[in-house]
Amino acid sequence: MTRTVSLPVESNGGESVVSRLVAAMLEHEVAPSVLVPARQPFGKSPVQTLFTDPDRAVDADPLAPVVPASSATILGKVTRRATERVVAAFLRPCEV
């Protein structure tokens, strides 16, 4: 069964909505970790980041136009070994 959710977008755009969604997923323990592109303090391009702390999710930027590597490739490496832990991931349609 498909479940849809509506998120209100504020004047600063969709980035804050998605970062709030990532934080909420971690706070409500939907998943213990979330893989999503995020802005980094040391560079201009976002890179895929595995978040486990909801307070750090403000840097999440899944709508960034360019990322240096495929999120699907990184997700494959993170989940290579069988584990009981759930990893949520934001993937672009071209990466699925």
Side-chain angles (χ1 to χ4, degrees), residues 25-91:
M25 290 173 70
L26 294 169
E27 286 172 4
H28 298 291
E29 299 178 357
V30 173
S33 56
V34 180
L35 181 70
V36 61
R39 295 178 302 279
Q40 303 298 314
F42 52 80
K44 294 182 180 180
S45 298
V47 296
Q48 289 81 355
T49 306
L50 191 63
F51 285 101
T52 57
D53 181 0
D55 295 331
R56 300 291 310 261
V58 296
D59 296 326
D61 189 7
L63 306 177
V66 176
V67 289
S70 167
S71 297
T73 301
I74 293 173
L75 180 62
K77 291 178 181 181
V78 168
T79 60
R80 182 176 306 175
R81 294 205 170 112
T83 179
E84 301 268 330
R85 294 190 59 150
V86 173
V87 177
F90 283 79
L91 301 174

Side-chain angles (χ1 to χ4, degrees), residues 7 13-24 36 57 60-63 90:
L7 299 172
E15 292 176 8
S16 65
V17 172
V18 178
S19 62
R20 286 194 329 258
L21 175 63
V22 171
V36 61
D61 189 7
L63 306 177
F90 283 79

